[in-house]
Amino acid sequence: MHLDGAFRNLGCEVQGEGNKKRHSIFGFGISIAAAGALLNPMHAAAQEFAPGVTCEGRICTNDTDDQYVVLWEVTCMNVVLPPGETVSTVTTTTGHFSQTVAPRSTLSVDTDCPQGTTLSYWITGVQPG
C-alpha cells in the first residue's frame, strides 16, 4: 500500500468542547503501525468519575450499591486502497458508546474498531443507570 499520499494531506488537528480537548497529530509518511503505537492511550492512574466509581485504562469498577452507565468514545482509522488506484484513502471515525456496570462489579469497555485501527479511546463519564 502507498500511504505517503494519504498521510501527506493530514495535519495537526485540535477538537474540543468545554474542558475536553483531543489532539491528533499525523506526520508525512507515518506507517499505520507507527501511528497506532504513538496514539494508543497510556494507562494512567485510576480516575474517579462518581463516588465509588473509578476507571483505569479500559476497566471501570463500581464499588457502590447502585448501577451506573459508563460512557466512552473510540476513534478509528480506516485505510482503503480503491481498485486501480495507487493512493490509499484514510478516514477517521469516532463512535460513542455506553454500557451498564452493575453494583459491586467491573466492566471492561470495548475499544476495538470493527474495521480499521483504534487510534484512541477515552472514558467520558458515568451516570446513574
Side-chain angles (χ1 to χ4, degrees):
M1 277 188 175
H2 300 289
L3 297 178
D4 287 349
F7 284 109
R8 189 176 302 132
N9 296 325
L10 296 175
C12 179
E13 143 185 304
V14 178
Q15 299 175 344
E17 58 181 65
N19 293 329
K20 185 172 67 170
K21 290 190 177 179
R22 177 177 69 203
H23 301 272
S24 299
I25 299 174
F26 292 97
F28 170 76
I30 294 176
S31 70
I32 293 173
L38 290 173
L39 297 174
N40 197 19
M42 309 253 317
H43 293 286
Q47 179 177 358
E48 185 171 61
F49 285 94
V53 182
T54 59
C55 297
E56 183 174 3
R58 297 186 307 170
I59 307 297
C60 292
T61 303
N62 180 0
D63 288 328
T64 72
D65 293 326
D66 301 311
Q67 178 172 285
Y68 278 86
V69 176
V70 177
L71 309 167
W72 72 95
E73 297 179 358
V74 178
T75 299
C76 303
M77 178 176 65
N78 300 308
V79 179
V80 176
L81 181 60
E85 296 291 326
T86 59
V87 177
S88 299
T89 302
V90 177
T91 58
T92 59
T93 56
T94 299
H96 303 269
F97 303 93
S98 64
Q99 190 171 345
T100 301
V101 59
R104 308 282 173 201
S105 65
T106 61
L107 168 69
S108 176
V109 300
D110 182 7
T111 60
D112 292 334
C113 294
Q115 298 175 347
T117 302
T118 300
L119 291 179
S120 64
Y121 68 90
W122 53 94
I123 296 173
T124 58
V126 300
Q127 61 190 30

